[in-house]
Amino acid sequence: MWLQEKRKQMKKFVIGDIHGNFRALKQCLERSKFNYEEDKLIVLGDTCDGFPDVKECFDELLKIKNLIHILGNHDNWALKWYTKDIFSGGFPEILWTSQGGQNTINSYGGINERMGEKHLSLLINSPLYHLEYNYDDIYLFVHGGINPNQKDIVKQDRDVLLWDRELLRYARHKHYQNPNCKYGGFDRIYVGHTTTQMAGKTEPMKYCNVIMMDTGAGWNGKLTIMNIETNELYQSDLCKDLYPEGHGRE
């Protein structure tokens, strides 16, 4: 009985790519009336790189009792830097710093400073995906996407989970033929990584069962948080209004 009551009280939210945008993060949490003790927040990755308040974002997220932080490609870059695994996969350091990484370094006090054990631990333990069971439905949360031809989520390639945009291309094309198509056998797939600003939008977009949650908080759009049970949306102000002094991703 107690467990059933607890489930009724807990609201489940997903939030798009934060990219160091602490002011937008605070607005989303406040406007959604997110409860730090009772509710669950699933972060779709890329808390790092972009706006100058990466440290503050992680500090705020770590206050949340029921937090699922999925690893994004920018988080992975930052993690490699701070663990001194300097892009063993072939990505030059300049690519990271020019795509918002310099602001991540600055947020922690400069190139000779460390990220901090709690923040590093959060990134090291961030999963590549998360499955959420909502009654009879199964929701997948992943930063980039999946290979729809690979049915077993456990066997998905790491780079696909972090970097993929092909799933969205397939879903957009298929949506106009059969909007009820379900990729991967999931009822919903929530993704970040690819901003809806590419389609001129600053709100989430849905193609088949794929929901785009990156609404441009790392650029000049908005940050969006969604209640996954009611589909209610709450958004921040435009980033240009929150950070009139500018940001690190041009």
Side-chain angles (χ1 to χ4, degrees), residues 176-230:
Y176 298 104
Q177 302 170 15
N178 177 17
N180 296 316
C181 175
K182 291 185 178 181
Y183 286 95
F186 301 103
D187 295 282
R188 297 182 194 171
I189 302 175
Y190 292 90
V191 299
H193 189 51
T194 304
T195 174
T196 59
Q197 286 189 295
M198 295 179 69
K201 306 288 186 181
T202 55
E203 60 270 350
M205 299 176 67
K206 183 176 182 289
Y207 295 106
C208 295
N209 63 328
V210 183
I211 300 171
M212 302 172 66
M213 286 297 300
D214 182 352
T215 53
W219 300 94
N220 59 359
K222 299 180 179 182
L223 183 62
T224 302
I225 188 171
M226 176 191 287
N227 184 319
I228 66 171
E229 294 172 318
T230 66

Side-chain angles (χ1 to χ4, degrees), residues 78-182:
L79 180 59
K80 285 187 173 186
W81 168 263
Y82 282 104
T83 56
K84 303 307 177 186
D85 179 13
I86 307 300
F87 305 108
S88 57
F91 294 101
E93 180 185 325
I94 188 63
L95 177 60
W96 174 55
T97 54
S98 67
Q99 288 294 315
Q102 188 60 53
N103 270 350
T104 297
I105 292 172
N106 295 344
S107 180
Y108 287 96
I111 199 166
N112 295 316
E113 301 298 324
R114 287 183 56 79
M115 181 177 264
E117 293 305 319
K118 289 183 178 180
H119 295 190
L120 273 177
S121 179
L122 177 62
L123 286 184
I124 289 169
N125 291 292
S126 291
L128 292 170
Y129 65 88
H130 173 70
L131 296 177
E132 190 73 30
Y133 297 88
N134 191 45
Y135 301 101
D136 293 329
D137 293 339
I138 303 176
Y139 300 161
L140 171 67
F141 300 82
V142 63
H143 180 66
I146 60 170
N147 177 354
N149 297 317
Q150 173 55 265
K151 299 301 183 183
D152 190 345
I153 186 65
V154 175
K155 296 180 180 179
Q156 289 279 338
D157 185 86
R158 176 185 175 89
D159 281 347
V160 171
L161 298 172
L162 288 173
W163 289 92
D164 179 72
R165 289 193 171 100
E166 287 298 291
L167 175 66
L168 279 170
R169 185 173 67 84
Y170 298 145
R172 279 198 300 265
H173 178 74
K174 188 70 172 180
H175 183 82
Y176 298 104
Q177 302 170 15
N178 177 17
N180 296 316
C181 175
K182 291 185 178 181

Side-chain angles (χ1 to χ4, degrees), residues 238-249:
L238 285 168
C239 298
K240 65 181 179 64
D241 298 325
L242 291 173
Y243 286 86
E245 65 272 30
H247 58 81
R249 298 182 79 201

Side-chain angles (χ1 to χ4, degrees), residues 23-79:
R23 299 171 192 175
L25 174 61
K26 285 292 288 182
Q27 282 189 339
C28 282
L29 293 172
E30 290 168 0
R31 290 172 180 180
S32 64
K33 295 181 170 56
F34 183 85
N35 188 309
Y36 285 55
E37 290 295 318
E38 295 180 356
D39 296 338
K40 176 184 283 188
L41 181 63
I42 302 166
V43 181
L44 286 172
D46 280 5
T47 298
C48 294
D49 302 353
F51 284 87
D53 299 325
V54 175
K55 180 179 182 297
E56 288 80 0
C57 288
F58 279 123
D59 283 338
E60 196 68 22
L61 292 175
L62 284 168
K63 296 175 184 178
I64 296 171
K65 183 177 179 180
N66 302 299
L67 175 70
I68 305 291
H69 186 280
I70 294 165
L71 191 71
N73 61 298
H74 282 270
D75 303 322
N76 192 48
W77 273 347
L79 180 59

